[in-house]
Amino acid sequence: MVPPLSFRLRYIGKTILSAALIYGISTFFVAASPKARTHLPSSSIAVSDDALATFFNPSGLGTGRGLNLYYLRTYQSDWAGDDAFFLAVPNGGFGVEFATANADTTFTRYTLSGGQHLGHALYLGTSYSWINSDDKTYDAFHSLSFGLMYRRRYFSIGAMARDLNQPKLLGEKLGRTYDLGLAIRPGTWRTTLSIDMQKTQGVEGIDLRYAMEVRPIHELMLRGTLNSDLSFDVRFGINIGNWGIGTGNTFNENRELQTGVGYFHFSNIPTTKQLPRRRIFLDLQMHSLKEVLSIAKSDEDIAGILVRINGSSYGMAQLQEMADAILDFRESGRVVLCYLTNCSTGDYIVASTCDGILMHPSAEVRLIGLRTERTFYKGILDMLGIRADLERIGKYKSASEAFTRKEMSEAQREIQNIILDDLYEQLIDTIADGRGWTPEDVKKRIDAGPYTAKQAFAAELVDRLVYEDELTDVVTELTDDQTDLISSNEYADSRVDSQDWRIPQPKIAIIEAKGLMVTGDSFIDPLTGTQVMGADTIVSAIQEAKGDDSIKAVVLRIDSGGGLVIAADIIWRALVQLTEVKPLVVSMGDVAASGGYYIAAPANVIIAEPGTITGSIGVVSGKYSLKGLYEKLGIQKEILKRGEHADFYTDYGDYPPSEQEIIQQQIKEIYDDFITKVALGRSELTTTEVDELGRGRIWSGRQAKENGLVDELGGLSLALAIAQEYAGLQGKRVEVTRFPKQTWVSRLFNNFRLSTVPLYQAVGTDGANKIARLPLITPYGSFKDTVKLVNAIMQHRLFLLMPYQIAMGQ
């Protein structure tokens, strides 16, 4: 009986690994006399970019290969038993070597190193070494070295200057050593050819080393080196997942064994896939859909996706983006299932685009439609004796009506009904297309909601009722394939690292502009948990993206209903300056209205989902009087003033016509400036046309596309593709970088009081994509920040605000 393939692979793998452990690993580098370090595996200074780059060429640490380490032990030499440890993190490295110098002396050599990307494809690195031993002549050793590397995808040059300070060892001054290396890959990472030249001060001649490294498969590495004195080494290595070991020997010109070193290698990014491995079924939360699916689509190991839906507060636009991501993934022929434990009307938009809908037997489906709710405070303000004297520009600019009316105005009712009709139609069409129903079928089911699990199953809203522990079996049954359910985090951690040489890719920056706009820094209000967008934070991100030559285009992701006029204008100005040097594409999320549209205006292209809420071009201003409240409480104020309007901002004043005229003039000026800036950005629209589209009126993304306020309908992926096109990078690899960023110091400091949410970053657009899980650390503000927010709102009287939100059947 022939053993199954998986058994044979395991057996062969274990046999090779066992042999490697017994035999050890070879080195090429043989330390000169007097001995100053341990033996190390051979490597070209034009190639080395992992932890061993600390010795070979520290500039390789600037390529950012992540966390990796080596443990090495010499098993064959005049002084066997030496061992060493090397550790590397992005841009930094550390090494410690425990060596025997002679029968009476042992020493420890320490090395600190760092590498930095200088721009384009050039890297600079430096290392500093010192020795600690019982022999003071060894302790005098302190060495400084510098390295350079220039790298392209299939071509790399390295240069190294060692012992530049000419350190002393055993009382002798060492000469400087200079290395130059050249490596090429003939169209593939599987073969690397290199030549290294070394010249030591005070020593005649130049040493040459010729090497060829071959990787017939991802897991196997073979390397051979021939030296100018005809000595040579043969090296063999195996990598499985994150781990690697190998074996090899160095021989002299007479083919006599000289040295051997064994090592274990670890990288936090796998270089190969685990063997054996079944196809996987990704188990995703809704928030990771957009980022993960675009990468997973090109991974043939993925049999399908299970989307977990357990209640969300997303708006229509973000739900449409998720639905689009699912439909795009399904084009690859793989299966998408979803599992409901808590489902609103909005969540069902996403569920309806899946191949199958599974549901917990005790869950519910709240498919009930859309609504808007406005709360009016004039009644209670009247009871308290508080008067709101608010002015607005725009018939439909209704943000102030919550404080000046007890019910909707006809203009507000008109526009809300128009928006609801459009969004409801989008909702019906999406569900009908996804489930294969007619629009009337969908409307009937909505009008009969909400549903228990059994009712939802009877109404064919879900396809199967399933408990959590049954999911794996159900997935296997429905896909007719033995699969493993893998979380998004596990998938990100298991993605295989590219064997290609790491070279800087041109970048597209995504700047997140989310929340109420204020001056100062961004933070999350600890009382409400809502994001506050600080103009200083956003401008800093814009300027950083503008000044980074590797960033070729910027996508501004807006999810904001506006805020302070001055905050919006500060951001607007920075964006106008950005567009003078780089393309700017705006991607609108759920809401990009009022101040949110203000900062969108400078963009080369504006993209929105059909369900995005945008527009609301208008201004609100005014003041409140607490005079009636004070009088009810028995509080009296006397005001003495110098200047006609010295009591303009008192909370104990009236609202005479002269003050009303001043406020109206101010908001008229700001409104005219608003529509002028929109017309400037929307070159096909005149200020008159913008005024007709403005006046506080809101639009859905679909309506905004029809009237010229939006250029294209789609999500963030479309915005990135258009930004790539504007930057002239079609079909090329690009890296996506996100702003605003935090320094590692602030992340470390804030980790004790911050929430960490998985964020997935996609890199590349040519089918060789990667995915990385990044820590998105969101700084929560203190109570002091909340007070600052309230004070800013009280002090600033001019606002660009959208008046309301639309609930997705919550």
Side-chain angles (χ1 to χ4, degrees):
M1 178 178 177
V2 179
L5 177 61
S6 60
F7 176 85
R8 284 179 284 162
L9 287 173
R10 285 195 295 269
Y11 179 81
I12 294 171
K14 289 179 180 178
T15 302
I16 295 176
L17 293 178
S18 300
L21 284 171
I22 294 171
Y23 196 59
I25 300 164
S26 71
T27 68
F28 163 74
F29 182 81
V30 180
S33 181
K35 185 176 181 181
R37 65 178 316 117
T38 60
H39 298 292
L40 296 178
S42 63
S43 182
S44 168
I45 63 168
V47 172
S48 183
D49 55 9
D50 56 15
L52 293 182
T54 290
F55 167 73
F56 288 108
N57 190 346
S59 63
L61 298 171
T63 60
R65 290 184 61 88
L67 171 68
N68 64 92
L69 57 87
Y70 279 85
Y71 171 72
L72 310 100
R73 184 167 181 83
T74 303
Y75 66 86
Q76 174 67 40
S77 76
D78 292 339
W79 300 101
D82 292 353
D83 52 3
F85 177 82
F86 286 87
L87 171 70
V89 296
N91 304 114
F94 171 73
V96 56
E97 303 168 65
F98 304 95
T100 301
N102 53 54
D104 301 318
T105 304
T106 60
F107 66 86
T108 304
R109 174 169 174 153
Y110 301 94
T111 304
L112 288 174
S113 58
Q116 187 65 42
H117 175 218
L118 297 181
H120 300 293
L122 185 64
Y123 302 88
L124 170 68
T126 182
S127 66
Y128 176 74
S129 297
W130 68 98
I131 287 178
N132 182 28
S133 76
D134 295 331
D135 187 336
K136 293 184 178 179
T137 58
Y138 268 89
D139 288 352
F141 179 87
H142 294 268
S143 173
L144 181 65
S145 303
F146 286 93
L148 285 171
M149 183 180 291
Y150 178 83
R151 175 170 285 185
R152 306 303 297 172
R153 187 174 183 183
Y154 297 117
F155 172 81
S156 184
I157 299 177
M160 190 69 186
R162 306 182 192 278
D163 300 330
L164 286 177
N165 60 328
Q166 292 189 278
K168 288 185 176 181
L169 185 64
L170 300 179
E172 297 181 15
K173 181 178 288 189
L174 303 182
R176 298 184 180 95
T177 300
Y178 303 96
D179 293 90
L180 179 66
L182 169 66
I184 60 172
R185 287 178 167 175
T188 174
W189 55 265
R190 294 186 182 277
T191 302
T192 303
L193 305 175
S194 64
I195 178 173
D196 284 69
M197 296 168 281
Q198 186 178 83
K199 172 63 178 176
T200 302
Q201 184 179 357
V203 178
E204 293 185 2
I206 297 176
D207 294 327
L208 297 177
R209 300 190 297 273
Y210 307 90
M212 181 172 70
E213 181 177 300
V214 179
R215 295 179 180 267
I217 58 176
H218 278 81
E219 292 76 16
L220 180 64
M221 183 274 293
L222 301 171
R223 177 184 171 88
T225 304
L226 177 65
N227 307 308
S228 53
D229 63 358
L230 299 183
S231 62
F232 64 94
D233 74 72
V234 179
R235 183 177 165 189
F236 171 75
I238 297 175
N239 293 284
I240 302 295
N242 299 84
W243 300 89
I245 62 173
T247 184
N249 289 281
T250 300
F251 301 85
N252 63 18
E253 66 276 13
N254 298 319
R255 301 182 182 180
E256 297 171 339
L257 180 64
Q258 296 294 300
T259 62
V261 176
Y263 70 81
F264 290 93
H265 174 235
F266 172 80
S267 172
N268 68 327
I269 304 176
T271 56
T272 64
K273 297 178 181 179
Q274 302 289 343
L275 293 176
R277 181 180 178 182
R278 296 187 300 198
R279 298 185 75 197
I280 64 176
F281 213 87
L282 276 185
D283 188 348
L284 302 180
Q285 300 293 333
M286 285 179 62
H287 64 75
S288 61
L289 279 177
K290 294 179 290 183
E291 289 79 12
V292 175
L293 291 191
S294 61
I295 306 303
K297 181 180 179 180
S298 60
D299 190 339
E300 294 300 326
D301 287 329
I302 294 177
I305 306 292
L306 175 69
V307 182
R308 291 183 181 266
I309 297 178
N310 55 10
S312 70
S313 57
Y314 296 110
M316 176 72 85
Q318 290 197 67
L319 294 166
Q320 289 173 332
E321 277 190 312
M322 296 175 191
D324 290 342
I326 290 174
L327 292 174
D328 181 63
F329 180 82
R330 286 179 60 186
E331 290 180 0
S332 66
R334 265 78 64 83
V335 176
V336 179
L337 305 174
C338 68
Y339 184 58
L340 311 181
T341 54
N342 185 0
C343 182
S344 67
T345 299
D347 295 330
Y348 199 78
I349 293 175
V350 177
S352 66
T353 59
C354 299
D355 292 289
I357 303 177
L358 311 178
M359 186 175 181
H360 191 283
S362 296
E364 64 173 336
V365 175
R366 299 188 305 279
L367 183 61
I368 57 176
L370 309 178
R371 72 178 185 275
T372 63
E373 292 184 2
R374 287 300 310 272
T375 303
F376 296 89
Y377 303 100
K378 179 172 172 52
I380 191 171
L381 294 181
D382 289 344
M383 291 172 58
L384 295 173
I386 299 173
R387 188 182 69 250
D389 299 318
L390 303 178
E391 301 293 337
R392 66 184 183 184
I393 287 287
K395 174 183 177 182
Y396 301 101
K397 195 67 176 178
S398 59
S400 62
E401 290 185 1
F403 307 97
T404 60
R405 296 179 60 89
K406 295 182 179 180
E407 60 183 9
M408 288 186 189
S409 66
E410 288 304 314
Q412 183 184 1
R413 191 180 304 276
E414 171 194 345
I415 195 61
Q416 288 201 36
N417 278 318
I418 291 174
I419 289 294
L420 274 177
D421 286 343
D422 187 55
L423 295 184
Y424 190 60
E425 182 181 342
Q426 294 180 36
L427 171 71
I428 297 298
D429 290 344
T430 301
I431 295 176
D433 290 343
R435 299 297 288 174
W437 297 331
T438 67
E440 288 304 316
D441 292 334
V442 179
K443 291 177 182 178
K444 289 178 181 178
R445 285 172 169 82
I446 289 176
D447 291 341
Y451 299 85
T452 66
K454 291 181 179 179
Q455 290 170 339
F457 180 71
E460 299 181 343
L461 290 172
V462 300
D463 301 305
R464 194 161 178 173
L465 302 182
V466 178
Y467 282 102
E468 174 86 19
D469 58 279
E470 299 175 314
L471 280 176
T472 301
D473 292 337
V474 171
V475 167
T476 298
E477 175 189 337
L478 294 178
T479 58
D480 196 27
D481 194 4
Q482 189 67 31
T483 57
D484 295 319
L485 273 176
I486 300 296
S487 71
S488 54
N489 289 350
E490 291 175 301
Y491 178 64
D493 291 340
S494 66
R495 290 288 287 169
V496 175
D497 189 25
S498 172
Q499 299 287 349
D500 285 332
W501 280 331
R502 290 178 176 271
I503 60 174
Q505 306 293 346
K507 299 176 182 176
I508 295 177
I510 299 176
I511 299 178
E512 299 279 355
K514 182 177 182 179
L516 177 70
M517 295 180 186
V518 297
T519 55
D521 296 327
S522 299
F523 64 94
I524 288 183
D525 185 348
L527 297 183
T528 64
T530 56
Q531 176 76 46
V532 177
M533 185 201 313
D536 290 354
T537 299
I538 301 302
V539 169
S540 177
I542 294 169
Q543 291 174 341
E544 186 175 351
K546 177 185 174 185
D548 188 337
D549 292 337
S550 67
I551 295 176
K552 306 303 181 183
V554 175
V555 173
L556 182 68
R557 174 69 170 186
I558 302 175
D559 200 343
S560 172
L564 301 181
V565 170
I566 185 172
D569 203 46
I570 290 171
I571 296 171
W572 175 87
R573 175 63 177 171
L575 290 170
V576 169
Q577 293 174 333
L578 173 68
T579 59
E580 294 172 357
V581 294
K582 294 181 181 180
L584 172 64
V585 177
V586 160
S587 170
M588 293 180 169
D590 289 331
V591 179
S594 200
Y597 192 84
Y598 191 104
I599 64 175
N604 300 96
V605 179
I606 298 177
I607 299 168
E609 285 287 356
T612 296
I613 302 300
T614 188
S616 195
I617 299 171
V619 187
V620 177
S621 185
K623 63 178 187 175
Y624 294 89
S625 173
L626 306 182
K627 184 176 181 180
L629 176 61
Y630 288 149
E631 291 175 348
K632 288 184 178 184
L633 297 174
I635 299 173
Q636 300 290 329
K637 279 190 178 184
E638 288 191 18
I639 299 175
L640 303 178
K641 65 179 183 178
R642 298 295 185 272
E644 180 64 24
H645 299 292
D647 58 347
F648 193 93
Y649 295 117
T650 180
D651 61 0
Y652 197 74
D654 298 319
Y655 192 47
S658 60
E659 292 185 3
Q660 183 178 12
E661 182 180 353
I662 290 173
I663 292 178
Q664 288 175 343
Q665 288 174 351
Q666 289 177 345
I667 62 175
K668 177 65 166 62
E669 176 184 320
I670 292 171
Y671 180 74
D672 289 343
D673 184 54
F674 194 163
I675 62 174
T676 298
K677 287 174 176 174
V678 172
L680 184 65
R682 307 272 84 200
S683 57
E684 67 280 4
L685 296 175
T686 65
T687 54
T688 300
E689 290 172 328
V690 174
D691 177 42
E692 293 174 353
L693 295 171
R695 302 175 186 176
R697 180 168 182 170
I698 65 170
W699 307 90
S700 70
R702 184 164 68 176
Q703 293 167 336
K705 168 70 165 58
E706 294 170 355
N707 62 38
L709 292 176
V710 164
D711 297 300
E712 300 289 344
L713 295 180
L716 184 59
S717 59
L718 177 61
L720 289 169
I722 292 177
Q724 191 172 353
E725 180 180 352
Y726 266 73
L729 299 172
Q730 304 96 313
K732 298 181 180 179
R733 290 187 173 188
V734 298
E735 180 179 340
V736 177
T737 182
R738 292 177 180 264
F739 294 89
K741 292 182 176 178
Q742 285 187 289
T743 65
W744 71 270
V745 176
S746 65
R747 287 183 176 182
L748 180 64
F749 176 76
N750 287 328
N751 197 43
F752 295 101
R753 64 187 183 95
L754 304 184
S755 64
T756 303
V757 181
L759 172 67
Y760 300 89
Q761 176 156 327
V763 182
T765 59
D766 61 351
N769 296 335
K770 304 189 299 299
I771 189 167
R773 179 161 55 92
L774 308 177
L776 176 61
I777 302 181
T778 307
Y780 274 86
S782 62
F783 180 74
K784 182 179 178 180
D785 291 319
T786 302
V787 173
K788 181 176 67 174
L789 173 62
V790 173
N791 287 336
I793 294 174
M794 294 298 294
Q795 292 172 7
H796 294 271
R797 309 285 173 153
L798 299 168
F799 297 90
L800 305 173
L801 283 172
M802 197 194 82
Y804 55 85
Q805 295 180 332
I806 296 176
M808 301 297 296
Q810 296 286 359

